[in-house]
Amino acid sequence: MMSHIKVNLLIAPMLLASPVAAQTAQRVDGIGVEQVNAIYPEIERLYIDLHRNPELAFREKRTATVLAARAKALGYEVTTGVGGTGIVAILKNGPGAVVMLRTELDALPIEEKTGLPFASAVKTTNDAGDVVPVSHMCGHDVHMAAWAATAELMAKNRAHWHGTLMLVGQPAEETVAGAKAMLRDGLFSRFPKPDYALGIHDDATLPAGVIGFHSGYFRANSTGLDMTVYGKGGHGAFPQTAIDPVVIAARIVVGLQTIVSRETNPLDPAVITVGSIHGGTASNIIPDQVRLQITVRSLDPAVQKRLLAAIARQAKFEALAANAPREPLLEVTANTDAVYNDPELTQRMVAAARAVMGVGQVVEMPAQMSGEDFSQFGLAGVRAVLLAVGAVDAAKLEASHKSGVPVPGVHSPLWAPERAPTIKAAFRAETAILMALLNGKWER
């Protein structure tokens, strides 16, 4: 209760002075709108630079160098190369809690089609040796720009907080491998283990500048599978002499959908998507194998375990029914656990953000089935919360709701966040929350 009283005392003079106080709370613990506006032009230049120069997972060398240099210039103790290309920037400011803010560094192998004057034209060779386009179609450039702004505001306003601020630039979020890589490399042993961790991700379902929160499970368990279905090759004119893996694979694809519709409680969110299927070289040749790529999503870890077991069971017995020479091979290509937002910490963060931004600008939102390896920090024993920041023009979002035609979202080649309100909201929320956690309002 005392923490809420303290917040109210801090903002009370401003509420009396402003005719639209509920929406324009301007100063908490020394950070005001004037500071936000003063640094924003340089932060936008950083955003545009990062957008133009995206890098794939575990290849974010330039990106890490740019962010590390900024943090070092602000007085942070910076370590690079953590977990491959990750960075850790520490600012110690007396006794108190250790609070971590994470951003992601990597981009996606997607050709950007936004038409922006600073759109990415980058192409590179991926791990398989293929030339692919690269772009920030998930908004990690937004997150990095906000992270850099928060780093600056926290450094300039250290008189208003005490403790240790830990800024983490994580590689390879898109492949859900970067968080584990940093933890294996001693993120919480070589450096102070945080008491609290915060992450923010841009979102296509909220108006630009609105912060979204959800207590409990917020992002899904996510498992990527490669399935190889085996048959016996032969001439397309004489199928009786072959065992057709294309037909077996087709039966598997259809059957997998019944795992969600007929084996899973309708109240338990679950998704099984076969995203690609490859096999054969010509219409008159029955191949000897077919490859499927599958993503499996759920919020409950127990549900995820049942989904994966059911996939293996159905694949095995479809192959057996077709007299295949061997059962399908299942290989896990990527895996991360569901993001769990600590409920009490979520409410603390919401209170801090609302004190600065207004109640209507910090809203509850549903859980989502996208995956995020931010979950690994919570599983490592840190109280963690992942928030969302809206990135779509409010008028466009309203028109979309009326028409039923969705706006382009993350991972779309057309994803183009409303950069100014989105970035500003992200770092205003971040600084408000970090200040609250680092000024003794909520001691452990």
Side-chain angles (χ1 to χ4, degrees):
M1 182 57 133
M2 291 302 295
S3 63
H4 297 294
I5 292 172
K6 186 173 181 182
V7 171
N8 289 335
L9 288 174
L10 284 165
I11 64 173
M14 176 191 58
L15 294 179
L16 293 172
S18 172
V20 286
Q23 297 180 16
T24 58
Q26 292 188 3
R27 183 176 294 278
V28 172
D29 294 330
I31 294 179
V33 169
E34 67 279 2
Q35 289 194 55
V36 170
N37 292 334
I39 71 168
Y40 181 72
E42 173 57 28
I43 293 301
E44 185 173 90
R45 284 191 287 273
L46 170 65
Y47 165 77
I48 290 172
D49 176 70
L50 294 169
H51 190 91
R52 280 179 170 151
N53 296 282
E55 296 171 298
L56 292 178
F58 290 126
R59 300 185 180 193
E60 314 95 328
K61 293 181 180 179
R62 180 190 185 275
T63 304
T65 298
V66 169
L67 293 187
R70 294 182 71 94
K72 191 171 183 178
L74 292 167
Y76 289 78
E77 300 173 21
V78 179
T79 305
T80 59
V82 182
T85 47
I87 60 177
V88 178
I90 302 288
L91 189 60
K92 296 179 180 178
N93 194 30
V98 179
V99 183
M100 170 181 145
L101 174 66
R102 183 214 68 168
T103 188
E104 316 94 306
L105 306 179
D106 59 328
L108 287 160
I110 295 177
E111 181 182 359
E112 180 171 354
K113 297 180 181 179
T114 62
L116 291 169
F118 52 88
S120 171
V122 172
K123 291 187 177 181
T124 190
T125 304
N126 64 14
D127 292 339
D130 301 319
V131 176
V132 295
V134 187
S135 60
H136 274 297
M137 295 294 98
C138 197
H140 293 180
D141 47 356
V142 169
H143 310 164
M144 288 186 281
W147 182 94
T150 298
E152 183 172 347
L153 290 175
M154 294 299 290
K156 289 180 175 178
N157 291 276
R158 68 186 75 187
H160 298 278
W161 61 272
H162 58 87
T164 298
L165 177 58
M166 179 178 181
L167 302 181
V168 171
Q170 179 205 308
E173 187 279 327
E174 295 297 353
T175 60
V176 294
K180 290 178 181 177
M182 293 193 81
L183 289 167
R184 284 194 301 267
D185 199 16
L187 180 62
F188 292 164
S189 56
R190 293 167 54 192
F191 307 96
K193 185 174 182 179
D195 299 295
Y196 313 110
L198 168 65
I200 290 185
H201 201 293
D202 61 340
D203 187 88
T205 67
L206 296 172
V210 172
I211 299 296
F213 69 91
H214 186 92
S215 295
Y217 287 115
F218 180 38
R219 295 294 184 92
N221 300 286
S222 177
T223 303
L225 297 175
D226 276 4
M227 179 188 294
T228 305
V229 179
Y230 298 99
K232 179 183 175 184
H235 197 298
F238 310 108
Q240 73 278 11
T241 66
I243 297 174
D244 194 341
V246 174
V247 174
I248 300 172
R251 288 175 175 169
I252 291 172
V253 171
V254 173
L256 293 185
Q257 305 313 306
T258 67
I259 297 173
V260 173
S261 66
R262 288 297 176 266
E263 295 187 35
T264 303
N265 187 329
L267 300 180
D268 290 330
V271 172
I272 299 175
T273 295
V274 180
S276 74
I277 179 167
H278 297 276
T281 57
S283 62
N284 63 346
I285 301 173
I286 294 172
D288 58 9
Q289 65 181 47
V290 172
R291 181 169 172 259
L292 311 177
Q293 291 180 294
I294 306 167
T295 186
V296 186
R297 310 288 178 111
S298 67
L299 293 179
D300 187 329
V303 171
Q304 189 78 355
K305 185 176 181 180
R306 289 198 299 272
L307 294 176
L308 295 172
I311 290 169
R313 184 193 74 235
Q314 286 210 10
K316 175 180 178 179
F317 286 102
E318 286 290 0
L320 181 64
N323 196 29
R326 54 180 292 194
E327 67 182 63
L329 174 65
L330 275 170
E331 300 173 284
V332 175
T333 57
N335 185 73
T336 194
D337 302 272
V339 172
Y340 183 80
N341 283 340
D342 180 279
E344 182 187 10
L345 184 59
T346 300
Q347 293 308 311
R348 292 176 176 181
M349 291 185 177
V350 167
R354 281 177 169 170
V356 172
M357 304 176 70
V359 173
Q361 293 300 107
V362 184
V363 302
E364 190 167 8
M365 65 183 296
Q368 297 182 348
M369 296 305 286
S370 51
E372 239 284 5
D373 66 351
F374 185 78
S375 58
Q376 301 308 309
F377 304 122
L379 292 172
V382 175
R383 296 179 68 186
V385 172
L386 179 68
L387 301 175
V389 58
V392 179
D393 178 79
K396 291 180 181 178
L397 203 55
E398 184 178 358
S400 170
H401 292 158
K402 290 179 179 178
S403 68
V405 179
V407 297
V410 294
H411 289 220
S412 162
L414 299 175
W415 179 237
E418 295 292 320
R419 61 184 181 275
T422 304
I423 295 170
K424 285 183 178 181
F427 72 77
R428 289 186 74 200
E430 288 172 358
T431 52
I433 290 167
L434 294 177
M435 283 283 183
L437 295 174
L438 287 165
N439 70 7
K441 285 193 178 84
W442 301 311
E443 298 289 356
R444 287 174 291 166

